[in-house]
């Protein structure tokens, strides 16, 4: 009998047999948390009364029930253990990969490219197509986005969109699934680890997605699609193409999906905490160009909450919004169409309103001197008497009395000119007769020298 060669541990068969138990466990986890039946869409607000009058429009009044407060519950009774175990385990495996698994260059390139693809399917698909209907997609594009949107294990389209629509409807309130008012960590990561009662969530209209055959198909087969695109495909691709089965599993599969998840979570936390509010400050969303780069354009969150149906998040040409450029390219190819753009004039109104609001806030911090209505009033004869009898160094400009005693020697035009105007109306000289003074000179005089007005 000839000797039988022992198979090398690096051969594909051995590598696959090593990972099969892990993959089976994850698939079982996915099947448990994503059942085949459709999620309930909640109940709309209860209509409690209708005010009617002859010749007038009906005015429905809605009663939105307050969020029930948990009493005497340990936080552990509210943990959603399947989610928590799956997500935290994946994060621990990703940390293990960083510390102990060598990252080969081909695997690294594949991981980055597949990670960008995974992220774009969330931003262009889950978010802008299905959550906000910012454009329409051809059937092939819808299927592609549905399949590879599952590759970062962020839930089915229906689950993801329901939470996101609730977030927009109830932003910064107890019904907001990732309410930043509960803390940065909760908005970033904690929200997904807890099971919330359905009655605590409020209502989001999901009827459009329940009629979408691609969305329903993805929901019904989500655990299989997710397991294949998130784990099997990247592992097999790196194993078959580069011979790197170990790196394919730990880096291209696990580390990649954890990275995409964390980047997506940054929109809920970072983009509600750091940045500017050029369109509205009524809620917490902010524009942050750095977050925009990392999240493929989702970081321009203040604009997005103000104009949620616009297919762009970074509306200016120089805003780094990769997703909008991809959608524009897909439109040129005929794969995407009816891209919604909010009217430019309305966008500029939003910016103008915030600039005025910020200017008013800034103006309140500035000292403009004593208000006009609080200034003492002098007749012309009283003014002259104050100058002659009390040696006041006063002069008049545009009906207001200014005390220039401390300014004479500081006058940029020299003391001689200003001394010659004491006791006189110097309006013409101030406004161009001698020199046409800048607005800053008027502001200085109003805040530091104005002492009265002439009647």
């Amino acid at each position: 009998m000839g000797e039988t060669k022992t198979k090398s541990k690096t051969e594909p068969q051995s590598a696959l047999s090593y990972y099969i138990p892990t993959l089976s466990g994850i698939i079982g986890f996915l099947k448990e948390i994503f059942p085949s039946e459709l999620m309930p869409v909640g109940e709309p607000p209860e209509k409690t009364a209708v005010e009617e009058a002859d010749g007038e429009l009906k005015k429905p009044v809605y009663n939105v029930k307050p969020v029930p407060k948990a009493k005497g519950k340990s936080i552990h009774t509210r943990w959603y253990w399947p989610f928590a175990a799956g997500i935290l385990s994946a994060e621990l495996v990703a940390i293990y990969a960083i510390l102990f698994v060598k990252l080969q260059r081909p695997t690294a390139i594949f991981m980055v490219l597949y990670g960008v693809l995974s992220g774009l399917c969330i931003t262009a698909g889950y978010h802008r197509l299905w959550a906000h209907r910012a454009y329409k997609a051809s059937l092939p594009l819808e299927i592609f986005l549905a399949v590879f949107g599952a590759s970062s294990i962020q839930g089915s389209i229906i689950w993801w969109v329901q939470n996101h629509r609730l977030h927009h409807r109830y932003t910064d309130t107890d019904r907001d699934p990732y309410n930043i008012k509960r803390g940065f960590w909760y908005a970033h990561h904690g929200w997904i680890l807890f099971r919330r009662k359905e009655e605590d969530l409020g209502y989001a209209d999901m009827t459009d997605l329940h009629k979408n055959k691609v969305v329903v198909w993805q929901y019904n087969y989500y655990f299989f699609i997710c397991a294949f695109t998130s784990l099997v495909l990247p592992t097999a691709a790196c194993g078959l193409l580069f011979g790197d089965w170990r790196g394919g599993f730990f880096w291209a599969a696990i580390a990649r999906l954890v990275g995409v998840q964390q980047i997506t979570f940054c929109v809920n936390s970072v983009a509600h905490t750091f940045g500017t509010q050029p369109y509205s400050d009524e809620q917490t969303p902010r524009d942050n160009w750095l977050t925009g780069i990392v999240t493929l354009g989702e970081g321009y969150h203040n604009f997005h909450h103000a104009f949620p149906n616009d297919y762009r998040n970074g509306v200016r040409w120089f805003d780094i919004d990769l997703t909008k450029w991809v959608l524009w390219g897909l439109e040129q190819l005929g794969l995407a169409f009816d891209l919604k753009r909010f009217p430019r004039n309305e966008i500029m109104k939003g910016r103008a309103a915030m600039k005025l609001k910020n200017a008013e806030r800034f103006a309140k911090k500035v000292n403009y001197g004593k208000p006009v209505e609080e200034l003492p009033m002098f007749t012309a004869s009283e003014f002259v008497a104050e100058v002659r009898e009390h040696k006041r160094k006063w002069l008049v400009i545009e009906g207001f009395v200014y005390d220039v005693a401390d300014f004479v020697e500081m006058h940029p035009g020299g003391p001689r000119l200003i001394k010659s105007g004491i006791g006189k109306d110097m309006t013409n000289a101030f406004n161009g007769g001698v020199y046409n003074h800048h607005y800053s000179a008027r502001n200085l005089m109003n805040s530091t020298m104005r002492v009265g007005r002439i009647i």
Side-chain angles (χ1 to χ4, degrees), residues 303-416:
F303 174 86
H304 173 61
H305 270 255
F307 311 103
N309 295 112
D310 199 304
Y311 86 95
R312 306 159 296 179
N313 274 12
V315 67
R316 298 169 297 184
W317 68 268
F318 55 85
D319 288 335
I320 305 174
D321 181 356
L322 179 61
T323 304
K324 79 174 177 186
W325 294 330
V326 169
L327 291 177
W328 179 86
L330 291 171
E331 182 185 39
Q332 307 311 305
L333 296 173
L335 295 173
F337 53 98
D338 194 19
L339 273 62
K340 293 181 175 61
R341 298 168 176 85
F342 219 83
R344 174 178 170 78
N345 186 66
E346 304 311 307
I347 294 173
M348 296 307 294
K349 280 182 184 178
R351 293 187 70 91
M354 277 306 301
K355 286 183 177 181
L356 288 172
K357 195 171 185 178
N358 289 330
E360 290 173 357
R361 288 173 180 166
F362 182 77
K364 290 179 180 179
K365 301 177 183 179
V366 177
N367 176 22
Y368 286 94
K370 185 178 289 188
V372 173
E373 59 272 13
E374 296 180 13
L375 292 172
M377 294 181 289
F378 301 92
T379 63
S381 57
E382 289 173 336
F383 166 76
V384 172
E386 288 288 332
V387 172
R388 290 179 178 176
E389 297 174 12
H390 300 285
K391 306 300 181 183
R392 308 284 193 190
K393 290 184 171 56
W394 288 2
L395 53 79
V396 174
I397 297 175
E398 296 178 343
F400 291 101
V401 179
Y402 295 93
D403 185 349
V404 297
D406 296 331
F407 186 69
V408 171
E409 299 300 327
M410 297 171 56
H411 184 234
R416 184 175 180 180

Side-chain angles (χ1 to χ4, degrees), residues 209-249:
L209 296 188
H210 285 190
K211 296 176 183 178
N212 186 306
K213 293 182 179 179
V214 173
V215 172
V216 173
W217 168 80
Q218 195 240 32
Y219 190 88
N220 288 335
Y221 297 97
Y222 180 77
F223 80 93
F224 173 77
I225 300 170
C226 180
F228 178 76
T229 57
S230 64
L231 301 172
V232 177
L233 178 60
T235 302
C238 292
L240 295 173
L241 295 175
F242 317 128
D244 187 14
W245 293 89
R246 180 176 170 84
F249 177 77

